[in-house]
Amino acid sequence: MASIEQVKAELAQAAEQSNATTNQIRAAIEGTEQVLSRLRAVAAGTGHPAISEAIGRAEQSKQQLIEAATILHGSGEAARQYISVLG
């Protein structure tokens, strides 16, 4: 059985990894925003359904990334809270 200190150390590492991954997701959100900007620039003056679909899918992707970052951030916070409970 793991000691409390070992559990706390594992939780801290998980929380740190959660932060790092959240930052990577945020970078992906920024990249997706750049994709959206380019698609919107190309779409100016055209009403082709394919470009509208591309924009819609990119917007959906961005929203899902935002949701993932929020959920993962909450996971790290919960791990930190448990560390404080353990003392």
Side-chain angles (χ1 to χ4, degrees):
M1 181 179 275
S3 71
I4 290 177
E5 290 307 314
Q6 290 170 321
V7 170
K8 287 169 57 175
E10 288 296 322
L11 287 169
Q13 287 179 353
E16 267 311 302
Q17 188 170 10
S18 175
N19 281 347
T21 304
T22 299
N23 289 336
Q24 291 170 338
I25 294 171
R26 287 184 180 135
I29 292 167
E30 290 174 19
T32 303
E33 187 58 46
Q34 291 174 1
V35 168
L36 279 164
S37 293
R38 288 183 174 164
L39 288 171
R40 288 182 181 124
V42 168
T46 182
H48 197 278
I51 198 74
S52 296
E53 180 181 353
I55 290 170
R57 288 178 183 251
E59 287 173 343
Q60 183 181 15
S61 173
K62 180 182 171 187
Q63 185 57 42
Q64 289 176 348
L65 286 167
I66 290 168
E67 291 171 15
T70 301
I71 292 167
L72 191 55
H73 177 75
S75 173
E77 289 300 311
R80 284 185 194 81
Q81 287 175 358
Y82 189 51
I83 290 170
S84 68
V85 167
L86 293 175

